[in-house]
Amino acid sequence: MRSRQRMFAAVMRLLLKCLRLGRRRQFKLVRQVEQLWHYGQLCLHSLLYNSFTNGDVVLDSLFEPIYWLVDHVTRWFGVVFVALVIGLTSSIVAIVYICLLPLILQTYTPAWICWHLAYGHWNLIMIVFHYYMAITTSPGHPPQAKDDLTGVSICRKCIAPKPARTHHCSICNRCVLKMDHHCPWLNNCVGHYNHRYFFSFCLFMTMGCIYCTISSWEMFRDAYAAIERMKLLEKERLQVAANQTYYQTPPPSFSFRQRAFHKSVVYLWVLCSSVALALGALTLWHAALITRGETSIERHINKKERQRLQKKGKVFRNPYSYGSWDNWKVFLGVDMPRHWLTRVLLPSPHLPHGTGLSWDPPPCVTKQRTPLLAI
């Protein structure tokens, strides 16, 4: 009996020792995992730590693959976008000349005919001129030699001088003077030398689309009603033809020319109204930027700088803004009153003020702004 009790006690002691040993090993394994976890966090933090990191930097890093894909797609499909713009614009012009112009000449009074011919052709010339110049004109690039410029920063991507208001375009893979953005519809960057052409194209294209939308509103209503009537008559014709023999099938109610005319008018109105809304919003956005003396890129930079200085109780001043009216004069290159006609309302290939390397106030500026970023 005693031997059994001793054996049972020995077995229990052995089990207790095994449990204690298992717990010690378990606690030791947990401690090792915790140490590895903290060590990994420390390594990751030491490799990725940046005192300037914020939410915007994190979002930019997460969207970097998307930016890379968009840049490459835009680079290869730029020619397709340009061909699309030319094709759609040409189709609208063809519809106006083939379908609408004969109708205008037959029904309108001589005064209205002269108005449509004069305004329509002037608007078309301005659109074609500014689009061609925006595509073919280089936006401007800084010189590659480092000795040519002093007091400028160096671009981290192309390792070249980077004057004020210059930014690197990841699609063109070059620095652009006074870069606003890369426009896929131009297959070109919008910068110092073609910014005016780009905005003028947007403005006159919007005006042309609004003109076509308003002028063809009554024709659009009649064409849409005619198309609906065609569909109804087509159903009735098919129902009648189903109850007759093959030789008794009635001829079509509308000719091919009538169908093409009505559908062309509907296509013109829908396309012009859609472009007028989308491009009109973009034009208003750029007009607001020009009024403030900013580009699309500088708008985001100035916003962050304004918020940063506001926390310090300071006020941000844009050193490239000369006031709303003078900003427009500098942008359009208006030095004299007659330039509003010769350089704004008529096609003009005049160059902008300055070289894009330095930003001294041009002669047309009436008020000189203090060159301070903050006070």
Side-chain angles (χ1 to χ4, degrees):
M1 186 70 179
R2 289 182 179 178
S3 60
R4 290 182 180 177
Q5 291 178 351
R6 290 175 183 175
M7 187 179 296
F8 180 75
V11 171
M12 292 301 295
R13 284 195 296 271
L14 181 62
L15 289 175
L16 289 174
K17 287 182 180 181
C18 292
L19 291 174
R20 290 174 183 173
L21 183 61
R23 288 180 180 177
R24 289 178 182 176
R25 290 180 177 177
Q26 184 179 5
F27 291 151
K28 186 177 181 180
L29 181 61
V30 171
R31 285 196 299 270
Q32 289 179 350
V33 172
E34 290 179 352
Q35 290 177 356
L36 289 174
W37 173 255
H38 291 304
Y39 179 73
Q41 284 183 327
L42 181 61
C43 289
L44 188 64
H45 187 68
S46 63
L47 291 174
L48 302 179
Y49 176 75
N50 188 344
S51 59
F52 296 100
T53 301
N54 52 23
D56 295 336
V57 176
V58 174
L59 287 177
D60 289 341
S61 300
L62 293 176
F63 280 93
E64 191 65 29
I66 300 177
Y67 296 152
W68 180 89
L69 180 62
V70 171
D71 290 345
H72 283 70
V73 169
T74 305
R75 182 183 304 172
W76 290 108
F77 282 87
V79 179
V80 178
F81 292 146
V82 172
L84 187 61
V85 172
I86 296 174
L88 293 177
T89 306
S90 301
S91 66
I92 295 299
V93 174
I95 292 172
V96 170
Y97 273 102
I98 297 174
C99 299
L100 302 186
L101 187 59
L103 192 61
I104 290 175
L105 295 176
Q106 293 174 4
T107 57
Y108 283 26
T109 61
W112 277 109
I113 292 175
C114 293
W115 155 253
H116 284 291
L117 291 177
Y119 179 82
H121 286 90
W122 170 78
N123 204 337
L124 178 61
I125 291 172
M126 298 297 285
I127 291 173
V128 174
F129 171 79
H130 287 102
Y131 188 66
Y132 174 78
M133 295 299 293
I135 292 175
T136 58
T137 303
S138 172
H141 307 285
Q144 297 296 317
K146 298 181 180 180
D147 297 335
D148 295 343
L149 298 174
T150 58
V152 298
S153 59
I154 301 297
C155 179
R156 295 178 296 176
K157 295 184 179 180
C158 56
I159 315 299
K162 186 179 179 182
R165 310 187 80 177
T166 299
H167 299 280
H168 187 89
C169 177
S170 57
I171 300 174
C172 299
N173 199 24
R174 293 189 66 181
C175 282
V176 177
L177 298 175
K178 192 193 169 187
M179 179 179 176
D180 188 88
H181 68 288
H182 184 95
C183 182
W185 300 104
L186 302 179
N187 194 27
N188 195 9
C189 269
V190 177
H192 178 62
Y193 289 104
N194 64 347
H195 194 181
R196 179 178 65 89
Y197 297 131
F198 164 77
F199 176 79
S200 298
F201 163 72
C202 293
L203 176 62
F204 288 111
M205 178 63 82
T206 303
M207 291 172 56
C209 290
I210 294 175
Y211 163 72
C212 290
T213 302
I214 296 175
S215 301
S216 62
W217 168 244
E218 294 295 334
M219 299 180 186
F220 165 74
R221 292 177 57 185
D222 295 339
Y224 186 80
I227 291 176
E228 293 297 324
R229 191 162 58 253
M230 287 180 192
K231 294 179 180 178
L232 182 61
L233 292 177
E234 185 69 18
K235 289 182 179 179
E236 294 178 355
R237 188 181 68 85
L238 292 176
Q239 291 177 357
V240 172
N243 299 325
Q244 296 177 352
T245 62
Y246 176 78
Y247 298 101
Q248 295 175 336
T249 301
S253 304
F254 292 90
S255 64
F256 173 79
R257 185 175 181 178
Q258 292 174 327
R259 294 173 184 270
F261 175 83
H262 295 310
K263 291 181 179 180
S264 297
V265 173
V266 172
Y267 163 78
L268 179 143
W269 193 89
V270 172
L271 180 60
C272 288
S273 59
S274 302
V275 173
L277 290 175
L279 195 59
L282 180 65
T283 304
L284 291 176
W285 163 255
H286 279 278
L289 293 177
I290 295 169
T291 304
R292 295 196 296 263
E294 297 177 332
T295 62
S296 299
I297 298 176
E298 290 173 351
R299 188 256 178 188
H300 300 285
I301 297 174
N302 293 345
K303 181 180 179 181
K304 292 182 180 179
E305 188 68 13
R306 189 178 294 107
Q307 293 175 351
R308 184 183 70 84
L309 294 176
Q310 188 177 6
K311 294 179 181 178
K312 297 182 179 181
K314 298 181 180 181
V315 179
F316 174 80
R317 280 185 180 177
N318 182 8
Y320 310 115
S321 177
Y322 310 106
S324 301
W325 181 247
D326 286 336
N327 286 337
W328 278 102
K329 291 170 64 178
V330 172
F331 178 79
L332 297 174
V334 176
D335 299 329
M336 294 178 287
R338 63 182 178 85
H339 286 166
W340 289 103
L341 174 63
T342 59
R343 294 188 173 185
V344 179
L345 297 181
L346 294 177
S348 175
H350 66 278
L351 297 176
H353 289 290
T355 60
L357 303 177
S358 60
W359 298 98
D360 299 326
C364 62
V365 174
T366 56
K367 295 182 181 179
Q368 302 295 329
R369 299 292 301 274
T370 54
L372 297 177
L373 290 178
I375 59 173

